[in-house]
Amino acid sequence: MQHVIVTNPPRAALAEVDELAGFGVATVHEAMGRTGLLGPHLRPIQSGTRIAGTAVTVLSWPGDNLMIHAAVEQCRPGDVLVVTTTSESLDGAFGELFATALAHRGVRGLVTTTGVRDTAELREMGFPAWSAAVHAQGTVKATAGSVNVPVTIGRTLVRPGDVILADDDGVLCVPRGEAGSAIEASRAREAKEAATRAAFLEGELGLDRYGLRQVLADLGVTYVDGSHDGSHDLGAGSDGSDAPGA
């Protein structure tokens, strides 16, 4: 495997990145056709925080954070550091000292498939992180990897310069060339959700708004009047199991 550090990769425009930050991960995910999620294993160490930035990617050897040190030099304001390993590793490859160096360079946060440590310090200094684990186990600095190369996290390909959006719901990647269309689709999604919210506040049911009554009928779901003792008419027992002879 070739080990490289790619300098100055193209990045999504920060104006588009900042606009995407105004939408939640779930909204943009739905707007993009339910694509881009990096997986439910990446969880925030803080709550109530949403960030968006351009990806600086790191591919490291398990249990080794040498390439994170190399990546710090490649970071610029507005970036998010995205770290993964060649095979699974939950060691605490990132902590407060890395966050201090990255915050000085204007980096907005960390996404890593490894573990993080010094989580109390990270929260205190306001450096957001999403990780696969919290683990005090340290790492070495001995094995070559790569910086700013495409990496796959979950089933999603993350390229350097792509938009990374992260909040309490998880982490999403928006391809650099699709940031503008993702913004337009997210605006439309938000407008649709606002209209639905207003309808629900007026008492409309999702069954009617989404045309689900016909779906239920097509699936053979029927309504049974339960105001009289008609339990013998039901097709399932009180525990949800099939009634005898059903």
mmCIF file of all heavy atoms in Angstrom, residues 8 13-14 17 19 28 43-44 53 55 59 68 74 83 85 93 121 127 138 154 158 160 177 184 188-189 222-223:
data_model
loop_
_atom_site.group_PDB
_atom_site.id
_atom_site.type_symbol
_atom_site.label_atom_id
_atom_site.label_comp_id
_atom_site.label_asym_id
_atom_site.label_seq_id
_atom_site.Cartn_x
_atom_site.Cartn_y
_atom_site.Cartn_z
ATOM 1 N N ASN A 8 -3.115 20.362 0.181
ATOM 2 C CA ASN A 8 -4.004 21.306 -0.515
ATOM 3 C C ASN A 8 -5.034 20.655 -1.433
ATOM 4 O O ASN A 8 -5.184 21.044 -2.597
ATOM 5 C CB ASN A 8 -3.170 22.309 -1.338
ATOM 6 C CG ASN A 8 -2.211 23.097 -0.485
ATOM 7 O OD1 ASN A 8 -2.599 23.615 0.559
ATOM 8 N ND2 ASN A 8 -0.957 23.183 -0.912
ATOM 9 N N ALA A 13 -16.827 24.922 -0.670
ATOM 10 C CA ALA A 13 -16.819 26.332 -0.278
ATOM 11 C C ALA A 13 -17.380 26.477 1.135
ATOM 12 O O ALA A 13 -18.426 25.903 1.456
ATOM 13 C CB ALA A 13 -17.643 27.156 -1.253
ATOM 14 N N LEU A 14 -16.698 27.242 1.971
ATOM 15 C CA LEU A 14 -17.132 27.393 3.357
ATOM 16 C C LEU A 14 -18.510 28.034 3.464
ATOM 17 O O LEU A 14 -19.242 27.772 4.422
ATOM 18 C CB LEU A 14 -16.104 28.191 4.159
ATOM 19 C CG LEU A 14 -14.918 27.391 4.705
ATOM 20 C CD1 LEU A 14 -14.004 28.286 5.533
ATOM 21 C CD2 LEU A 14 -15.376 26.195 5.528
ATOM 22 N N VAL A 17 -20.725 25.152 3.215
ATOM 23 C CA VAL A 17 -20.573 24.355 4.432
ATOM 24 C C VAL A 17 -21.359 24.971 5.579
ATOM 25 O O VAL A 17 -22.098 24.288 6.298
ATOM 26 C CB VAL A 17 -19.081 24.231 4.807
ATOM 27 C CG1 VAL A 17 -18.917 23.568 6.174
ATOM 28 C CG2 VAL A 17 -18.320 23.450 3.748
ATOM 29 N N GLU A 19 -23.861 26.984 5.434
ATOM 30 C CA GLU A 19 -25.307 26.908 5.234
ATOM 31 C C GLU A 19 -25.827 25.514 5.555
ATOM 32 O O GLU A 19 -26.891 25.369 6.164
ATOM 33 C CB GLU A 19 -25.677 27.297 3.807
ATOM 34 C CG GLU A 19 -27.164 27.451 3.602
ATOM 35 C CD GLU A 19 -27.554 28.265 2.381
ATOM 36 O OE1 GLU A 19 -26.649 28.739 1.672
ATOM 37 O OE2 GLU A 19 -28.774 28.416 2.144
ATOM 38 N N VAL A 28 -30.773 16.578 6.188
ATOM 39 C CA VAL A 28 -29.942 16.504 4.986
ATOM 40 C C VAL A 28 -29.896 15.075 4.454
ATOM 41 O O VAL A 28 -29.939 14.846 3.242
ATOM 42 C CB VAL A 28 -28.523 17.034 5.276
ATOM 43 C CG1 VAL A 28 -27.661 16.977 4.019
ATOM 44 C CG2 VAL A 28 -28.579 18.473 5.800
ATOM 45 N N ARG A 43 -20.719 8.092 17.785
ATOM 46 C CA ARG A 43 -21.567 8.816 18.721
ATOM 47 C C ARG A 43 -20.823 10.014 19.298
ATOM 48 O O ARG A 43 -19.608 9.982 19.475
ATOM 49 C CB ARG A 43 -22.014 7.902 19.873
ATOM 50 C CG ARG A 43 -22.776 6.664 19.430
ATOM 51 C CD ARG A 43 -23.974 6.994 18.582
ATOM 52 N NE ARG A 43 -24.848 7.955 19.245
ATOM 53 C CZ ARG A 43 -25.628 8.831 18.616
ATOM 54 N NH1 ARG A 43 -25.618 8.907 17.285
ATOM 55 N NH2 ARG A 43 -26.395 9.640 19.300
ATOM 56 N N PRO A 44 -21.554 11.098 19.576
ATOM 57 C CA PRO A 44 -20.900 12.294 20.120
ATOM 58 C C PRO A 44 -20.524 12.114 21.584
ATOM 59 O O PRO A 44 -21.235 11.453 22.346
ATOM 60 C CB PRO A 44 -21.982 13.373 19.962
ATOM 61 C CG PRO A 44 -23.279 12.622 19.997
ATOM 62 C CD PRO A 44 -23.002 11.291 19.354
ATOM 63 N N GLY A 53 -18.037 20.984 8.432
ATOM 64 C CA GLY A 53 -16.710 21.408 8.002
ATOM 65 C C GLY A 53 -16.249 20.561 6.839
ATOM 66 O O GLY A 53 -16.926 19.623 6.413
ATOM 67 N N ALA A 55 -13.631 17.911 5.107
ATOM 68 C CA ALA A 55 -12.918 16.749 5.618
ATOM 69 C C ALA A 55 -11.430 16.797 5.302
ATOM 70 O O ALA A 55 -11.021 17.008 4.153
ATOM 71 C CB ALA A 55 -13.517 15.473 5.033
ATOM 72 N N LEU A 59 -5.888 7.899 7.282
ATOM 73 C CA LEU A 59 -5.936 6.444 7.299
ATOM 74 C C LEU A 59 -4.733 5.962 8.094
ATOM 75 O O LEU A 59 -3.581 6.126 7.668
ATOM 76 C CB LEU A 59 -5.903 5.871 5.884
ATOM 77 C CG LEU A 59 -5.984 4.344 5.769
ATOM 78 C CD1 LEU A 59 -7.295 3.821 6.360
ATOM 79 C CD2 LEU A 59 -5.835 3.896 4.319
ATOM 80 N N ILE A 68 -2.144 10.978 12.511
ATOM 81 C CA ILE A 68 -2.912 12.120 13.021
ATOM 82 C C ILE A 68 -1.974 13.296 13.244
ATOM 83 O O ILE A 68 -2.296 14.448 12.915
ATOM 84 C CB ILE A 68 -3.666 11.753 14.308
ATOM 85 C CG1 ILE A 68 -4.635 10.600 14.051
ATOM 86 C CG2 ILE A 68 -4.432 12.975 14.842
ATOM 87 C CD1 ILE A 68 -5.418 10.154 15.282
ATOM 88 N N GLN A 74 -1.846 19.643 7.905
ATOM 89 C CA GLN A 74 -2.631 19.840 6.684
ATOM 90 C C GLN A 74 -3.974 20.515 6.939
ATOM 91 O O GLN A 74 -4.712 20.795 5.996
ATOM 92 C CB GLN A 74 -2.861 18.490 6.002
ATOM 93 C CG GLN A 74 -1.590 17.735 5.672
ATOM 94 C CD GLN A 74 -0.620 18.575 4.859
ATOM 95 O OE1 GLN A 74 -1.016 19.260 3.901
ATOM 96 N NE2 GLN A 74 0.650 18.529 5.221
ATOM 97 N N VAL A 83 -10.882 10.413 10.917
ATOM 98 C CA VAL A 83 -9.849 9.408 11.132
ATOM 99 C C VAL A 83 -10.455 8.011 11.080
ATOM 100 O O VAL A 83 -11.494 7.751 11.698
ATOM 101 C CB VAL A 83 -9.168 9.600 12.504
ATOM 102 C CG1 VAL A 83 -8.091 8.535 12.721
ATOM 103 C CG2 VAL A 83 -8.581 11.005 12.621
ATOM 104 N N THR A 85 -9.019 3.578 10.515
ATOM 105 C CA THR A 85 -7.859 2.681 10.529
ATOM 106 C C THR A 85 -8.040 1.561 9.517
ATOM 107 O O THR A 85 -9.155 1.278 9.069
ATOM 108 C CB THR A 85 -7.655 2.093 11.937
ATOM 109 O OG1 THR A 85 -8.897 1.567 12.428
ATOM 110 C CG2 THR A 85 -7.173 3.161 12.908
ATOM 111 N N ALA A 93 -6.881 6.988 20.412
ATOM 112 C CA ALA A 93 -5.859 7.594 19.552
ATOM 113 C C ALA A 93 -5.884 9.114 19.574
ATOM 114 O O ALA A 93 -4.992 9.755 19.002
ATOM 115 C CB ALA A 93 -6.036 7.103 18.119
ATOM 116 N N GLU A 121 -11.996 16.910 29.364
ATOM 117 C CA GLU A 121 -11.237 18.068 28.905
ATOM 118 C C GLU A 121 -11.729 18.549 27.539
ATOM 119 O O GLU A 121 -11.802 19.763 27.291
ATOM 120 C CB GLU A 121 -9.742 17.732 28.845
ATOM 121 C CG GLU A 121 -9.074 17.573 30.199
ATOM 122 C CD GLU A 121 -9.296 16.207 30.828
ATOM 123 O OE1 GLU A 121 -9.960 15.350 30.198
ATOM 124 O OE2 GLU A 121 -8.807 15.988 31.952
ATOM 125 N N PHE A 127 -14.326 21.353 22.276
ATOM 126 C CA PHE A 127 -13.898 20.733 21.021
ATOM 127 C C PHE A 127 -14.755 19.495 20.784
ATOM 128 O O PHE A 127 -14.607 18.483 21.468
ATOM 129 C CB PHE A 127 -12.424 20.339 21.066
ATOM 130 C CG PHE A 127 -11.876 19.907 19.728
ATOM 131 C CD1 PHE A 127 -11.363 20.845 18.854
ATOM 132 C CD2 PHE A 127 -11.910 18.571 19.342
ATOM 133 C CE1 PHE A 127 -10.873 20.452 17.605
ATOM 134 C CE2 PHE A 127 -11.435 18.175 18.107
ATOM 135 C CZ PHE A 127 -10.915 19.122 17.240
ATOM 136 N N GLY A 138 -3.804 3.944 25.310
ATOM 137 C CA GLY A 138 -2.981 4.780 24.447
ATOM 138 C C GLY A 138 -2.542 4.070 23.175
ATOM 139 O O GLY A 138 -2.833 2.887 22.949
ATOM 140 N N GLY A 154 -18.332 3.067 7.460
ATOM 141 C CA GLY A 154 -19.629 2.454 7.226
ATOM 142 C C GLY A 154 -19.692 2.027 5.768
ATOM 143 O O GLY A 154 -18.805 1.338 5.267
ATOM 144 N N VAL A 158 -15.720 8.809 1.922
ATOM 145 C CA VAL A 158 -15.419 10.183 2.310
ATOM 146 C C VAL A 158 -14.142 10.603 1.604
ATOM 147 O O VAL A 158 -13.085 9.977 1.778
ATOM 148 C CB VAL A 158 -15.238 10.319 3.831
ATOM 149 C CG1 VAL A 158 -14.927 11.770 4.206
ATOM 150 C CG2 VAL A 158 -16.473 9.824 4.568
ATOM 151 N N PRO A 160 -11.313 13.748 0.745
ATOM 152 C CA PRO A 160 -10.851 15.015 1.315
ATOM 153 C C PRO A 160 -11.574 16.191 0.664
ATOM 154 O O PRO A 160 -11.777 16.206 -0.549
ATOM 155 C CB PRO A 160 -9.354 15.031 0.996
ATOM 156 C CG PRO A 160 -9.159 13.975 -0.039
ATOM 157 C CD PRO A 160 -10.222 12.963 0.152
ATOM 158 N N GLY A 177 -18.928 18.138 -4.501
ATOM 159 C CA GLY A 177 -19.606 18.679 -5.670
ATOM 160 C C GLY A 177 -21.117 18.717 -5.555
ATOM 161 O O GLY A 177 -21.789 19.265 -6.437
ATOM 162 N N GLU A 184 -30.259 23.047 -1.476
ATOM 163 C CA GLU A 184 -31.589 23.279 -2.057
ATOM 164 C C GLU A 184 -32.576 22.201 -1.630
ATOM 165 O O GLU A 184 -33.724 22.492 -1.263
ATOM 166 C CB GLU A 184 -31.475 23.323 -3.584
ATOM 167 C CG GLU A 184 -30.701 24.520 -4.123
ATOM 168 C CD GLU A 184 -31.302 25.831 -3.671
ATOM 169 O OE1 GLU A 184 -32.551 25.970 -3.704
ATOM 170 O OE2 GLU A 184 -30.541 26.736 -3.283
ATOM 171 N N ALA A 188 -36.040 22.594 0.796
ATOM 172 C CA ALA A 188 -37.355 22.071 0.434
ATOM 173 C C ALA A 188 -37.862 21.106 1.494
ATOM 174 O O ALA A 188 -39.048 21.115 1.844
ATOM 175 C CB ALA A 188 -37.281 21.384 -0.933
ATOM 176 N N ARG A 189 -36.963 20.289 2.022
ATOM 177 C CA ARG A 189 -37.357 19.341 3.069
ATOM 178 C C ARG A 189 -37.828 20.074 4.316
ATOM 179 O O ARG A 189 -38.831 19.702 4.928
ATOM 180 C CB ARG A 189 -36.158 18.455 3.400
ATOM 181 C CG ARG A 189 -36.402 17.473 4.547
ATOM 182 C CD ARG A 189 -37.140 16.256 4.080
ATOM 183 N NE ARG A 189 -37.518 15.397 5.194
ATOM 184 C CZ ARG A 189 -38.158 14.250 5.065
ATOM 185 N NH1 ARG A 189 -38.471 13.805 3.853
ATOM 186 N NH2 ARG A 189 -38.489 13.537 6.116
ATOM 187 N N THR A 222 -57.910 -4.099 9.218
ATOM 188 C CA THR A 222 -59.306 -3.691 9.393
ATOM 189 C C THR A 222 -59.504 -3.076 10.765
ATOM 190 O O THR A 222 -58.717 -3.307 11.698
ATOM 191 C CB THR A 222 -60.253 -4.887 9.231
ATOM 192 O OG1 THR A 222 -59.919 -5.877 10.213
ATOM 193 C CG2 THR A 222 -60.136 -5.492 7.834
ATOM 194 N N TYR A 223 -60.550 -2.275 10.899
ATOM 195 C CA TYR A 223 -60.929 -1.670 12.174
ATOM 196 C C TYR A 223 -62.045 -2.500 12.802
ATOM 197 O O TYR A 223 -62.991 -2.911 12.109
ATOM 198 C CB TYR A 223 -61.402 -0.230 11.966
ATOM 199 C CG TYR A 223 -60.288 0.749 11.646
ATOM 200 C CD1 TYR A 223 -59.783 0.845 10.349
ATOM 201 C CD2 TYR A 223 -59.762 1.559 12.638
ATOM 202 C CE1 TYR A 223 -58.760 1.744 10.049
ATOM 203 C CE2 TYR A 223 -58.747 2.454 12.353
ATOM 204 C CZ TYR A 223 -58.243 2.538 11.061
ATOM 205 O OH TYR A 223 -57.240 3.426 10.781
#
